[in-house]
Amino acid sequence: MYTKVKGTIDFLPEQSKKLTSLENYLKDVASLYGYQEIRVPILSYSELIHRSSGESSDIVTKETFDFKDRGDRMVTLRPEGTAPVVRAVLENKLYTSNLPLKLFYSGPMFRYERPQKGRYREFSQFGVEVVGSNSPYMDAEVITLATTIFKSLRIKNFRVRLNTLGDDDSRNNYKVALKEYFKDKLDLLCNDCKKRYETNTLRILDCKIDKDNEVLLNAPKISDYLSDKSKEEFEVVKSYLDLLHIPYIVDLKLVRGLDYYTNTIFEVELVDENDNSISQAICAGGRYNNLTKMLGGPELGSVGFAFGIERLSEIIDERVDYSHKIFAQFIPIGINAKMHLIELMQEIREHGFSSEMNYESLNLKGHFKSSDQNNARFLIICGDDELKDKKIRIKDKVQDTDDLIDESKLLEYMLHRIRCNRDCETCDGGCDEN
Ligand code: ATP
Ligand code: MG
């Protein structure tokens, strides 16, 4: 009997179906935000991965699948998407077009880790990379996109863990302070951290073994070493998130496991509503202003994130249907209404909302079935009575509402419903303002 390689997974038809629709959904959302897909090889020259992640990073020292190909070249199965995507941007000189580039990718990654729930040796990530923007507003927009995905998947108990590593000066000053602080405390650190002291002091803060060690808890804080510019930029990110009511905590101890991060970094984690405990991070990312230069290209401020698809898939409520392919289904009752709704549907389509109508002569039940198959969010119904009064009936399947509105208000109404969907504070998602 042959078995699968340790740490890999077979996705049987049911699970595959779920993963595929989740991936398609993520691609749709990213497209909506103006990102375009990029597909890059899984196989990479080792140097790219080692250089970008950092020779002393956990990923490179313990987790990469490195081997020699038959031509004696050292190659690595990609452990993450950012370095290969940035390599492709540079190699294909994509940065000579309009900046910023907004790219998304999805596919398998490989890390030699101890397999357990949510941690595999072959797993999938979905990620976005914005290349060629130095604006902290973009950091916040990228975080917002990540949290929008959580919200639209009806995952309520998520929270952003946020920090800044500052610009190069801030980080260098901070590293000096950390070196000084840990100098006479090396005995109190784990063996890995003793090595990190020499190779990458910052990463001591990311120690997974010694999380509650007093020595780590009392270490100097990055906030005391930030330049004025880095402080201001971090304030922009926070006010943007405040404005949109995105839940976050600032964690001055957060550092990420890869060497290329600068400035804003974040993780999105789930918080147990009962005991406030935190489960594994589902999404992580941040700004990496030095990577393009490190890989031999021009300096291009960049920011991105990656979701673990399997981890995300494990927390999605099976009952939630997130694959809203068709946004609005137009349901005519009678021939007069049909012609009228065709006009209205065209108008809505021209506004960029995907819409459908089943042209067969169906009864209401038949139309409902058809909209279920299409996964339509809004059902827009019109018969002779409504037509006479220039009204339409609209059902929102997400918020479970049913209203009779002026047909001239249709677009406005739908937009309002979408907005309310974002946990709008004043109406709690159920407001009847239309
Ligand atoms: P962790 O702290 O859990 O090891 P990480 O910091 O190594 O995560 P990233 O490199 O930031 O993770 O990758 C982004 C996301 O990819 C993670 O938040 C997680 O959802 C997913 N991920 C990372 N490693 C694995 C793995 N071995 N198996 C499954 N998913 C993973
Ligand atoms: Mg890891």
Side-chain angles (χ1 to χ4, degrees):
M1 174 80 97
Y2 293 104
T3 60
K4 57 188 179 299
V5 171
K6 190 174 172 193
T8 63
I9 322 168
D10 290 324
F11 293 103
L12 305 181
E14 262 312 291
Q15 299 148 313
S16 297
K17 194 172 147 198
K18 190 175 171 191
L19 279 182
T20 304
S21 59
L22 178 57
E23 270 166 345
N24 288 341
Y25 171 77
L26 293 170
K27 290 176 181 180
D28 285 351
V29 179
S31 305
L32 219 59
Y33 275 72
Y35 289 79
Q36 290 182 301
E37 182 164 23
I38 185 161
R39 292 176 185 242
V40 294
I42 291 168
L43 206 55
S44 194
Y45 285 126
S46 301
E47 207 187 333
L48 170 74
I49 305 296
H50 289 221
R51 189 82 218 285
S52 55
S53 300
E55 289 291 353
S56 64
S57 64
D58 274 3
I59 289 196
V60 169
T61 51
K62 302 180 194 159
E63 299 175 2
T64 45
F65 280 84
D66 298 316
F67 53 94
K68 271 192 177 157
D69 72 5
R70 289 170 194 268
D72 235 16
R73 300 172 199 92
M74 275 308 290
V75 289
T76 297
L77 297 178
R78 64 180 186 195
E80 56 103 38
T82 304
V85 167
V86 169
R87 192 270 314 140
V89 166
L90 298 177
E91 191 170 339
N92 295 286
K93 295 203 167 39
L94 295 187
Y95 54 84
T96 53
S97 61
N98 259 352
L99 293 178
L101 294 163
K102 295 172 84 176
L103 304 168
F104 71 81
Y105 62 86
S106 180
M109 307 292 161
F110 299 80
R111 297 185 192 178
Y112 197 82
E113 299 204 70
R114 201 165 63 78
Q116 53 196 285
K117 191 175 155 49
R119 197 174 288 289
Y120 313 102
R121 290 185 176 171
E122 178 177 344
F123 62 100
S124 290
Q125 282 186 341
F126 170 85
V128 307
E129 311 293 351
V130 180
V131 181
S133 165
N134 284 309
S135 170
Y137 288 91
M138 191 54 91
D139 302 11
E141 189 188 285
V142 163
I143 297 174
T144 305
L145 171 56
T147 59
T148 304
I149 289 172
F150 278 83
K151 280 189 192 175
S152 58
L153 292 173
R154 313 274 182 274
I155 301 165
K156 292 212 175 73
N157 50 329
F158 69 87
R159 179 173 70 188
V160 178
R161 184 176 290 271
L162 186 69
N163 194 15
T164 179
L165 297 173
D167 52 21
D168 291 348
D169 285 346
S170 316
R171 227 169 29 262
N172 289 337
N173 291 337
Y174 183 46
K175 280 181 195 164
V176 171
L178 283 179
K179 272 219 132 129
E180 185 58 33
Y181 169 79
F182 284 119
K183 194 167 70 182
D184 54 3
K185 300 181 183 66
L186 292 181
D187 294 348
L188 305 167
L189 299 178
C190 77
N191 285 336
D192 276 351
C193 284
K194 285 190 185 107
K195 279 187 225 145
R196 289 182 183 125
Y197 179 79
E198 296 302 335
T199 54
N200 196 336
T201 326
L202 208 67
R203 184 104 23 68
I204 295 178
L205 301 177
D206 195 29
C207 180
K208 296 273 170 4
I209 307 169
D210 247 359
K211 256 190 247 153
D212 301 320
N213 187 342
E214 288 277 309
V215 180
L216 295 193
L217 296 177
N218 296 326
K221 309 241 177 327
I222 179 75
S223 46
D224 294 328
Y225 297 87
L226 291 176
S227 66
D228 286 346
K229 183 158 178 277
S230 296
K231 272 187 202 154
E232 277 160 30
E233 289 178 345
F234 197 44
E235 285 310 312
V236 169
V237 176
K238 286 190 287 178
S239 3
Y240 192 123
L241 299 181
D242 287 336
L243 181 73
L244 299 183
H245 307 291
I246 292 171
Y248 69 88
I249 53 162
V250 174
D251 177 357
L252 299 172
K253 287 277 177 329
L254 179 69
V255 291
R256 307 264 323 116
L258 300 158
D259 268 3
Y260 51 62
Y261 284 111
T262 63
N263 308 75
T264 313
I265 50 170
F266 68 96
E267 293 186 348
V268 190
E269 60 198 12
L270 286 194
V271 186
D272 189 300
E273 277 153 343
N274 299 320
D275 62 2
N276 244 6
S277 66
I278 297 152
S279 68
Q280 287 168 315
I282 309 289
C283 168
R287 180 163 276 283
Y288 50 95
N289 285 348
N290 297 334
L291 184 58
T292 53
K293 210 164 164 205
M294 190 200 276
L295 298 181
E299 207 170 305
L300 295 164
S302 305
V303 52
F305 66 61
F307 272 83
I309 300 276
E310 292 81 4
R311 285 192 200 171
L312 183 60
S313 160
E314 277 161 20
I315 56 162
I316 293 172
D317 186 334
E318 303 283 340
R319 291 161 304 179
V320 172
D321 184 4
Y322 47 84
S323 55
H324 288 291
K325 280 276 174 280
I326 297 300
F327 190 72
Q329 177 102 11
F330 286 76
I331 302 179
I333 309 166
I335 183 71
N336 298 332
K338 190 178 204 161
M339 293 314 284
H340 186 61
L341 279 195
I342 286 173
E343 261 186 298
L344 212 53
M345 177 168 76
Q346 180 59 19
E347 195 184 312
I348 294 299
R349 281 178 167 165
E350 282 171 8
H351 277 98
F353 293 110
S354 76
S355 311
E356 274 295 332
M357 183 187 296
N358 190 321
Y359 295 121
E360 305 302 316
S361 355
L362 301 173
N363 59 17
L364 206 52
K365 205 170 149 201
H367 276 295
F368 284 162
K369 196 169 159 209
S370 168
S371 25
D372 275 348
Q373 281 161 351
N374 279 338
N375 263 320
R377 170 171 177 166
F378 290 105
L379 310 191
I380 294 153
I381 308 161
C382 182
D384 286 340
D385 286 348
E386 287 87 4
L387 192 62
K388 191 168 67 274
D389 300 335
K390 289 195 179 319
K391 301 252 179 210
I392 42 169
R393 179 162 292 286
I394 177 161
K395 287 176 184 286
D396 177 354
K397 301 236 293 198
V398 169
Q399 291 183 11
D400 200 18
T401 56
D402 186 341
D403 288 302
L404 189 67
I405 62 167
D406 286 346
E407 61 170 42
S408 59
K409 296 266 176 69
L410 176 58
L411 190 64
E412 209 180 304
Y413 177 93
M414 290 197 294
L415 288 171
H416 181 74
R417 283 274 166 233
I418 308 168
R419 260 188 236 123
C420 282
N421 205 13
R422 295 187 191 151
D423 282 348
C424 148
E425 271 204 337
T426 44
C427 71
D428 203 19
C431 92
D432 281 314
E433 183 194 314
N434 51 56

